[in-house]
Amino acid sequence: LSISQARYRVDVTRAAAGNLILLEGVDESIVKTATITGNNGGSYCGCVGWGWGWNQISFEDRRGEWWLSSDGGLVRYAKVAKYSELLSAKPKAVYTTKDGLSTNIVFRLFEDSRGDIWISLIGNRKSTLARWDRAANKIRPYASGNGLPESAPTAFAEDGAGNLWIGFYEGDLLRYKAG
């Protein structure tokens, strides 16, 4: 059994079902992820695939916790001493539609200066953006309308004044300054 990623082939014969596989440093600083699935197709988080793309799909937050996008929701891991410990760790939490996401397909992630996690979602054009509010430990969804486009956010950045800038797939740019 192996994982093929472009020109790379990684032997995962010894990896048990549900394990997260990290391909680190393959192309400069890119980190790729994959999930080994068992006969039931599941993993620790209940997802089949991890986030796809090349930017803002996973990160270590200010407290050392890890956040990963997946097709099974937003996956949160507790702080680990070494990055490689994520390979055998079980998630601290998996946020899904039961927690307030409009869909379980998480596309992009971003941590703002307050420590809130911004979540780009695909699969429901009426609600493509959510925020995990650190202080309340709660998902806050944002619906389209009132200036929020119906396309998925593809990029997040924060300026020196604390404004959050969100770029959308169809070319829209939004500035969020509340909070």
Side-chain angles (χ1 to χ4, degrees):
L1 175 65
S2 63
I3 295 174
S4 294
Q5 174 65 41
R7 65 183 181 272
Y8 305 101
R9 189 174 172 91
V10 179
D11 181 25
V12 292
T13 306
R14 297 184 186 109
N19 281 344
L20 176 65
I21 303 299
L22 303 174
L23 308 176
E24 183 177 18
V26 173
D27 290 318
E28 298 176 23
S29 63
I30 295 174
V31 176
K32 305 260 185 200
T33 60
T35 305
I36 302 303
T37 59
N39 293 335
N40 64 359
S43 67
Y44 288 143
C45 72
C47 54
V48 175
W50 294 96
W52 56 280
W54 49 92
N55 290 314
Q56 297 181 324
I57 59 172
S58 64
F59 67 92
E60 181 180 17
D61 74 12
R62 65 181 63 213
R63 294 185 179 175
E65 294 185 328
W66 285 88
W67 298 80
L68 286 82
S69 60
S70 83
D71 64 5
L74 173 59
V75 183
R76 178 184 181 189
Y77 286 92
K79 181 178 181 177
V80 292
K82 294 186 292 184
Y83 186 66
S84 61
E85 292 175 15
L86 288 174
L87 294 172
S88 59
K90 291 195 176 175
K92 178 177 181 176
V94 179
Y95 302 97
T96 66
T97 54
K98 294 176 184 174
D99 302 294
L101 296 179
S102 65
T103 174
N104 288 334
I105 305 171
V106 178
F107 186 54
R108 297 281 192 265
L109 301 170
F110 180 78
E111 180 182 22
D112 68 19
S113 60
R114 291 187 322 254
D116 291 352
I117 310 301
W118 290 84
I119 309 154
S120 168
L121 302 157
I122 54 178
N124 181 347
R125 290 183 63 85
K126 297 295 181 190
S127 182
T128 61
L129 182 65
R131 176 175 54 95
W132 177 75
D133 183 327
R134 186 176 294 275
N137 190 26
K138 183 178 180 178
I139 299 286
R140 308 247 184 235
Y142 294 87
S144 62
N146 296 323
L148 184 64
E150 289 187 0
S151 66
T154 57
F156 296 90
E158 189 170 6
D159 65 24
N163 296 307
L164 181 67
W165 293 87
I166 305 170
F168 290 82
Y169 181 76
E170 294 177 0
D172 295 296
L173 180 65
L174 181 132
R175 180 181 68 166
Y176 178 86
K177 63 185 227 174

